[in-house]
């Protein structure tokens, strides 16, 4: 899925955690026929601000919003197009909404997220009636000891958790030939733009659900591409924050040097609101200490429709050239950026992008074993699995359901590795940090005095193929992911009716500036559309952009 690395070494996904009853694997949609029947929906494209204003005016209530979204999930996710993006519903959602409605009437709202229905990726711990399984049958029955730190933050902000979303099982780091959006527990999630197309991963269900208006917004997680890639191919906004801005405590891990949770929404403003509700310093996650004085409770304050005026943006040509239709859209976006007042420095190539992949692969495999073992140990003595080795054995014992489409060779390689004190790991980590930061993003931005870098986020969605596996063309997620730096993707157009995003990324803790730039681009183009639920791509429409 990357232009600079083989599929085997490029598994750029994060997530983990699933629970509850096992969902049957869904068949892939036929490539023939008409769009699935999806009727009008009262909350289509409703923003968080719209919901807030509507609840203040008495037009909406938290309970009413939850009821409407539950109905939409039934009509679109379970019936109709059968997106299969929501793996589990929260049985207490209506009760929580009622409590928040009473609280609003008695004392006013807690903030902009009060009563707002959102979905969580099913690798994020909730100590309630919902499960956390990373899509794996091995974690069915496991119960997290506490809410994830970010879940506690969002509960405190008044968000209502509708349920959990499906994902690429174990963050797509199980096999070289995995299929994004598929999990043993949840089955296959479909792309709402073209049902035979992939949602990318690993935050597949979060992206599809947001795009299809099944929630106000959702939380995803990323190690390398798992937020921005599915956001791009589903036509929504996704933010991959600086590592340490959002706590990872209670999130099923892949890599403590690259993992982060982040917001996924239909607009930049909604993503900014959700991000503000997630940030905070957590004593259990040392990385968050670095965010002291660098986070914000309200990221909407920096949003400015004229925010591109005077900005210096570097065009990273390393990430072009993998698809002519994508290149065409991004070239038109560059013209748009200039018309909105930006100064483009073109090209500004990032060095080392063709060589850093091997070091990243070593780091991810070492950290997968160490970090996953640490997470599983926290589940307690009654957990069905306690180590990565246990998960491997479970999959072998349940091969007909867990290994029916692809194997677990990456798990096996990782489990055979030594501790994080091994020289090969320490050398690889030093290489990743040096090449991605001091000799990468930092060096280029300093040399050209840049505010941000820009590149195509990903290619158009590929046809899902459980026999062959993923067949993505390219993408730009690794630059910011390996550095631990922030990036944001915004819809930039369509190729054959399939969404394509443009990514803005920069130095650590630059979220306010990136949101400002992304918002100005979004407002200048207004390219977000509701998906069409077509059976396949619109092969008569090669490329269309907001211009």
């Amino acid at each position: 899925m990357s232009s600079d690395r083989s599929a085997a070494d490029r598994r750029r996904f994060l997530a983990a955690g699933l629970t509850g009853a096992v969902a049957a694997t869904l068949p892939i949609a036929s490539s023939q026929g008409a769009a699935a029947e999806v009727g009008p929906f009262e909350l289509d494209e409703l923003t968080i601000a719209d919901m807030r204003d509507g609840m203040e005016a008495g037009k909406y209530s938290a309970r009413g919003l939850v009821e409407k979204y539950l109905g939409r999930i039934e009509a679109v996710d379970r019936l109709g197009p059968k997106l299969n993006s929501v793996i589990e519903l929260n049985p207490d959602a209506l009760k929580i909404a009622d409590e928040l409605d009473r609280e609003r009437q008695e004392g006013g709202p807690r903030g902009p997220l009060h009563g707002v229905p959102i979905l969580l990726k099913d690798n994020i711990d909730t100590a309630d009636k919902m499960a956390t399984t990373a899509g794996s049958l091995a974690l069915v029955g496991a119960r997290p000891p506490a809410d994830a730190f970010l879940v506690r933050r969002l509960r405190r902000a008044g968000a209502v958790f509708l349920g959990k979303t499906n994902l690429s099982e174990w963050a797509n780091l199980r096999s070289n030939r995995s299929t994004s959006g598929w999990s043993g527990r949840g089955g296959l999630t479909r792309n709402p733009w073209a049902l035979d197309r992939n949602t990318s991963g690993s935050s597949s269900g979060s992206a599809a659900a947001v795009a299809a208006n099944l929630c106000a917004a959702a939380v995803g997680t990323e190690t390398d591409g798992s937020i921005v890639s599915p956001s791009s191919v589903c036509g929504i906004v996704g933010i991959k924050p600086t590592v340490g801005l959002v706590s990872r405590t209670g999130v099923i891990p892949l890599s403590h040097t690259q993992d982060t949770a982040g917001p996924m929404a239909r607009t930049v403003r909604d993503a900014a609101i959700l991000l503000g509700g997630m940030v905070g310093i957590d004593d259990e996650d040392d990385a968050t200490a670095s965010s002291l004085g660098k986070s914000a409770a309200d990221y909407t304050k920096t949003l400015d429709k004229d925010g591109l005026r005077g900005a210096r943006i570097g065009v990273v040509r390393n990430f072009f050239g993998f698809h002519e239709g994508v290149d065409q859209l991004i070239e038109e976006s560059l013209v748009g950026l200039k018309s909105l007042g930006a100064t483009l420095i073109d090209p500004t190539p990032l060095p080392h992008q063709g060589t850093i992949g091997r070091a990243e692969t070593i780091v991810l495999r070492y950290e997968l074993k160490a970090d996953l073992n640490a997470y599983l140990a926290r589940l307690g003595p009654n957990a069905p699995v306690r180590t990565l080795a246990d998960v491997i054995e479970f999959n072998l014992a349940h091969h007909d359901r867990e290994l029916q489409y692809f194997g677990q060779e990456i798990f096996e390689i990782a489990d055979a590795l030594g501790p994080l004190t091994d020289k090969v790991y320490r050398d690889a980590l030093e290489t990743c940090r040096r090449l991605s930061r001091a000799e990468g993003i930092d060096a280029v931005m300093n040399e050209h005095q840049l505010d941000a870098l820009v590149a195509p986020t990903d290619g158009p969605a590929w046809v899902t193929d459980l026999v062959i596996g993923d067949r993505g063309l390219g993408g730009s997620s690794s630059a910011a992911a390996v550095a631990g730096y922030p990036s944001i993707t915004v819809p930039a157009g369509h190729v054959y009716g399939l969404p394509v995003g443009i990514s803005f990324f920069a130095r650590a803790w630059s979220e306010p500036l990136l949101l400002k730039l992304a918002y100005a681009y979004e407002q200048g183009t207004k390219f977000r559309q509701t998906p069409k639920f077509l059976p396949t791509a619109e092969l008569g429409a090669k490329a269309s952009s907001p211009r």
Side-chain angles (χ1 to χ4, degrees), residues 1 11-15 168-175 178-182 200-202 254 406 410 470:
M1 306 249 287
R11 309 322 285 169
R12 46 185 191 165
F13 311 104
L14 164 72
S168 309
E169 183 179 315
W170 295 115
N172 248 2
L173 204 68
R174 201 188 83 186
S175 169
S178 61
T179 294
S180 293
W182 182 90
S200 191
S202 61
L254 259 188
F406 51 87
I410 296 178
D470 286 340

Side-chain angles (χ1 to χ4, degrees), residues 346-363:
D346 185 6
T348 53
L350 276 175
H352 314 303
Q353 290 307 298
T355 59
I356 201 171
R358 182 175 182 276
E360 183 192 13
T361 297
I362 293 171
V363 169

Side-chain angles (χ1 to χ4, degrees), residues 287-374:
T288 62
S290 299
S291 71
L292 180 64
K294 298 168 185 171
S295 65
D298 184 2
Y299 282 94
T300 67
K301 290 182 178 180
T302 65
L303 303 184
D304 180 359
K305 65 181 180 62
D306 295 318
L308 282 162
R309 195 165 305 282
R312 290 176 58 83
I313 298 178
V315 181
V316 187
R317 292 281 171 180
N318 308 57
F319 303 122
F320 287 65
F322 57 83
H323 191 283
E324 65 275 10
V326 174
D327 285 349
Q328 176 185 332
L329 287 181
I330 303 304
E331 293 294 348
E332 293 175 0
S333 292
L334 297 180
V335 173
L337 290 172
K338 288 193 287 187
S339 73
L340 292 166
T343 297
L344 299 186
I345 293 78
D346 185 6
T348 53
L350 276 175
H352 314 303
Q353 290 307 298
T355 59
I356 201 171
R358 182 175 182 276
E360 183 192 13
T361 297
I362 293 171
V363 169
L364 294 186
R365 290 178 178 179
Y366 266 90
E367 293 183 353
L368 166 65
K369 177 183 179 180
D371 295 349
L372 187 55
N373 280 348

Side-chain angles (χ1 to χ4, degrees), residues 361-411:
T361 297
I362 293 171
V363 169
L364 294 186
R365 290 178 178 179
Y366 266 90
E367 293 183 353
L368 166 65
K369 177 183 179 180
D371 295 349
L372 187 55
N373 280 348
Y375 171 86
L376 294 173
R378 293 178 69 241
L379 294 179
N382 295 323
V385 289
R386 301 293 306 282
T387 65
L388 176 58
D390 290 345
V391 176
I392 292 170
E393 289 303 314
F394 178 94
N395 290 342
L396 290 173
H398 300 84
H399 62 89
D400 56 329
R401 294 160 80 183
E402 279 290 356
L403 305 178
Q404 58 181 315
Y405 298 121
F406 51 87
Q408 56 179 345
E409 66 275 11
I410 296 178
F411 270 15

Side-chain angles (χ1 to χ4, degrees), residues 223-525:
T223 301
D224 188 342
S226 293
I227 288 174
V228 296
S229 180
S231 294
S232 176
V233 303
C234 289
I236 63 170
V237 175
I239 301 175
K240 198 285 289 187
T242 303
V243 172
L245 186 64
V246 178
S247 168
R248 287 84 53 83
T249 300
V251 180
I252 298 178
L254 259 188
S255 161
H256 63 270
T257 57
Q258 292 185 205
D259 287 355
T260 181
M264 303 170 76
R266 289 180 290 274
T267 69
V268 173
R269 182 175 293 276
D270 281 357
I273 292 171
L274 185 55
L275 180 63
M278 296 168 61
V279 302
I281 295 175
D282 173 17
D283 292 341
E284 293 187 63
D285 185 350
D286 293 341
T288 62
S290 299
S291 71
L292 180 64
K294 298 168 185 171
S295 65
D298 184 2
Y299 282 94
T300 67
K301 290 182 178 180
T302 65
L303 303 184
D304 180 359
K305 65 181 180 62
D306 295 318
L308 282 162
R309 195 165 305 282
R312 290 176 58 83
I313 298 178
V315 181
V316 187
R317 292 281 171 180
N318 308 57
F319 303 122
F320 287 65
F322 57 83
H323 191 283
E324 65 275 10
V326 174
D327 285 349
Q328 176 185 332
L329 287 181
I330 303 304
E331 293 294 348
E332 293 175 0
S333 292
L334 297 180
V335 173
L337 290 172
K338 288 193 287 187
S339 73
L340 292 166
T343 297
L344 299 186
I345 293 78
D346 185 6
T348 53
L350 276 175
H352 314 303
Q353 290 307 298
T355 59
I356 201 171
R358 182 175 182 276
E360 183 192 13
T361 297
I362 293 171
V363 169
L364 294 186
R365 290 178 178 179
Y366 266 90
E367 293 183 353
L368 166 65
K369 177 183 179 180
D371 295 349
L372 187 55
N373 280 348
Y375 171 86
L376 294 173
R378 293 178 69 241
L379 294 179
N382 295 323
V385 289
R386 301 293 306 282
T387 65
L388 176 58
D390 290 345
V391 176
I392 292 170
E393 289 303 314
F394 178 94
N395 290 342
L396 290 173
H398 300 84
H399 62 89
D400 56 329
R401 294 160 80 183
E402 279 290 356
L403 305 178
Q404 58 181 315
Y405 298 121
F406 51 87
Q408 56 179 345
E409 66 275 11
I410 296 178
F411 270 15
E412 292 165 350
I413 291 170
D415 194 54
L417 296 174
L420 299 185
T421 53
D422 280 3
K423 186 176 186 300
V424 64
Y425 165 75
R426 289 186 285 109
D427 288 349
L429 181 58
E430 188 279 331
T431 297
C432 283
R433 288 177 167 168
R434 174 171 49 85
L435 296 186
S436 65
R437 297 176 181 178
E439 298 180 19
I441 291 174
D442 294 344
V444 169
M445 293 189 69
N446 290 337
E447 178 184 356
H448 298 286
Q449 297 181 310
L450 301 176
D451 293 296
L453 297 159
V454 70
T457 306
D458 216 331
W462 58 96
V463 175
T464 295
D465 189 336
L466 289 166
V467 176
I468 303 298
D470 286 340
R471 293 178 291 176
L473 297 174
S476 60
S477 66
S478 284
V482 177
Y485 289 178
S487 62
I488 178 170
T489 182
V490 184
H494 291 84
V495 175
Y496 297 112
L498 302 170
V500 171
I502 184 171
S503 280
F504 299 83
F505 53 101
R507 298 179 179 90
W509 318 113
S510 60
E511 283 83 357
L513 177 57
L514 290 178
L515 282 163
K516 178 181 177 181
L517 300 176
Y519 180 78
Y521 172 82
E522 174 195 59
Q523 293 304 298
T525 58

